[in-house]
Amino acid sequence: MHRNMRNSFRWQEKPRMCYQPSDDLFYWKIHTKTPSFFSTLKQDAAAGSSSMMSLRALALIGASISGILSFGTITSADEAEHGLPAPNYPWPHKGILSSYDHASIRRGHQVYQQVCASCHSMSLVSYRDLVGVAYTEEETKAMAAEIEVVDGPNDEGEMFTRPGKLSDRFPQPYPNEQAARFVNGGAYPPDLSLITKARHNGQNYVFALLTGYRDPPAGVAIRDGLHYNPYFPGGAIAMPQMLIDGAVEYEDGTPATESQMGKDVVTFLSWAAEPEMEERKLMGFKWIFVLSLALLQAAYYRRLKWSVFKSRKLVVDAVN
Amino acid sequence: MADEELTDPKLYLEETCKPKCVKPFWEYQACIKRIKGDESGQKHCTGQYFDYLKCVDECVALKLFDKLK
C-alpha cells in the first residue's frame, strides 16, 4: 500500500526498478530535470561509458588549469598602482574580547585636533561622543566651548554665532569640497569619520601611510606638490608628512615620536569609525555561546524525534 | 616631561632589520645599477623596492608596538 502511494508522489523521469532508501522519508524535494555536471560524470561511470567520462573529466581539469594560470599574469601588473600592502600590526584592540586603549584614544584625539583638523573634517563625530570614552563631561564641554558655531535663525530672522555645545559636531576646516580642493592643490583631504572602515585593511593602512613617507625608488620622479608614499595607490600623495617627532606635546607626558602619534591617532580613528566595537564583541561572545548551547539542545531534540524513523524496519515482500 | 631627544623606535627597528633583508636589498641595488644609464624615463625599480620594503616592514611590525606606549 505504501509503495503504490509512493509512485504517485515521484517526479523523476526515469522509472526506478529497485528500492531506494530516500523513499522512506517523505521528502517533498523536487528533483531537477537537468542533472549537474558531477552527476553526469557519475552516471556515465555507472553506465560504463568510460570514454564519455574521461572526456568530461578532461574538460573539467583543462578549464580549471587554464583558470588558475590566468591569475598568474595579474601579479606582473604595476605594483605601484595598488600600493605596497600594509603589514599587520598587533593592535591592542584586535583580540576577540579586547577593548580599545582609551588613553590612546585620548592622545589620538589630541593629535587629530592639533595636526589633522586643519585640513580633515570629521563631520559625523559629535563632542558628546567623546564623553566617557576619552574625556570627562566637564573637559568635553570646555573643549566644545572653544569653537564658534553658526546657529539660528533667531527671532529676528538672523543667523548668529555661539560657543559650541556637546551636541555640536566636530568643526569643519572648509565650508565645502571645492574650497578644500582649491586650498590643497586640487586634492580633497577626505573626511576621517569612517576612514579605517573605508579603506582596505584600514587600520594598518592608515598607520603605514602616516609613518611611511620615504624617498622614491630609482627611476621614479614625483612632480612638485606631491610626495612619495609607497602605501598610497600610485605612490604620489598630495599630503606631506604630518607626523614629525615632537609635533605634539602629550598631556600625559608620553614621548611624541612619529610612530607613537601614528598609533594613537589610528586608535582614535578606529574608535571614531567603530565606537560600538566593545559592546559588539561582548554581545557577540555572549550570543555565540548561547546559540551553541541552543544548537546542542536542538540537535538532541531533533535526533530524539527522528529516532522513530531512523530505527524503522521495512519488509520487502516481493514475488519475482 | 618628554625628553629633549626623541628617537622614533621605528627608525631604530628598521636599522636592525636591514641585515635580515639583505637579499632584496641587493636585488634593488642591482636594479639601480641596471637602469643607471637609462634616458627614456620608463624604467624604474619599484618592484625590487617594494620587495625590500615588504621584508623590512614585516620584521618591524612584529616588534614596533612593544616599544610604544
Side-chain angles (χ1 to χ4, degrees), chain A residues 99-218:
Chain A
S99 68
Y100 286 121
D101 177 358
H102 286 257
S104 189
I105 297 180
R106 186 180 171 118
R107 287 194 299 267
H109 173 255
Q110 189 183 348
V111 173
Y112 164 74
Q113 214 173 27
Q114 294 179 16
V115 176
C116 322
S118 51
C119 300
H120 287 277
S121 59
M122 279 187 83
S123 52
L124 300 179
V125 184
S126 307
Y127 280 100
R128 60 177 172 81
D129 298 328
L130 289 169
V131 176
V133 171
Y135 300 94
T136 63
E137 190 173 332
E138 295 79 28
E139 285 172 328
T140 323
K141 274 191 180 148
M143 225 187 320
E146 286 171 16
I147 62 158
E148 290 275 308
V149 173
V150 174
D151 201 356
N154 59 15
D155 294 340
E156 294 170 15
E158 290 168 348
M159 305 298 282
F160 59 94
T161 54
R162 58 160 175 81
K165 296 189 286 199
L166 284 180
S167 56
D168 291 322
R169 299 276 171 97
F170 281 3
Q172 303 207 9
Y174 304 108
N176 50 58
E177 186 184 326
Q178 287 84 344
R181 284 187 185 275
F182 179 65
V183 175
N184 291 290
Y188 174 60
D191 186 285
L192 298 181
S193 315
L194 293 166
I195 198 75
T196 55
K197 283 203 287 195
R199 298 290 180 269
H200 170 71
N201 197 14
Q203 296 178 20
N204 293 318
Y205 168 72
V206 176
F207 180 83
L209 187 85
L210 291 174
T211 57
Y213 283 86
R214 300 174 197 288
D215 291 329

Side-chain angles (χ1 to χ4, degrees), chain A residues 211 215 218 231 259-260 263, chain B residues 8 10 28 45 47 49 57 69:
Chain A
T211 57
D215 291 329
Y231 304 96
S259 24
Q260 180 69 54
K263 172 176 178 279
Chain B
D8 192 5
K10 195 166 188 234
Y28 177 55
C45 295
Y49 192 55
D57 275 346
K69 190 169 168 189

Side-chain angles (χ1 to χ4, degrees), chain A residues 79 84 89-91 107 211 214-215 217-220 228 230-231 246 249 252 254-260 263, chain B residues 1-3 6-10 14 28 32 35 43-47 49-51 53-54 57 61 64-65 68-69:
Chain A
E79 287 156 300
L84 179 63
Y89 293 96
W91 295 99
R107 287 194 299 267
T211 57
R214 300 174 197 288
D215 291 329
V220 170
Y228 183 74
Y231 304 96
E249 204 175 293
D252 59 358
T254 311
T257 56
E258 182 189 346
S259 24
Q260 180 69 54
K263 172 176 178 279
Chain B
M1 288 299 293
D3 43 300
L6 285 172
T7 45
D8 192 5
K10 195 166 188 234
E14 278 172 5
Y28 177 55
I32 295 176
I35 69 166
K43 300 187 186 176
H44 58 88
C45 295
T46 307
Y49 192 55
F50 276 19
D51 291 338
L53 285 182
K54 186 158 184 254
D57 275 346
L64 177 62
F65 276 34
L68 299 177
K69 190 169 168 189

Side-chain angles (χ1 to χ4, degrees), chain B residues 47-60:
Chain B
Q48 289 84 350
Y49 192 55
F50 276 19
D51 291 338
Y52 171 61
L53 285 182
K54 186 158 184 254
C55 175
V56 172
D57 275 346
E58 279 169 6
C59 168
V60 169

Side-chain angles (χ1 to χ4, degrees), chain A residues 8 55 62 73 85 154 200 217 222 233 237 261 270 296 312-313 320:
Chain A
S8 65
L55 192 63
T73 54
N154 59 15
H200 170 71
I222 308 289
I237 191 173
M261 288 191 286
S270 307
L296 292 173
R312 187 169 59 168
K313 299 216 189 308
N320 282 324

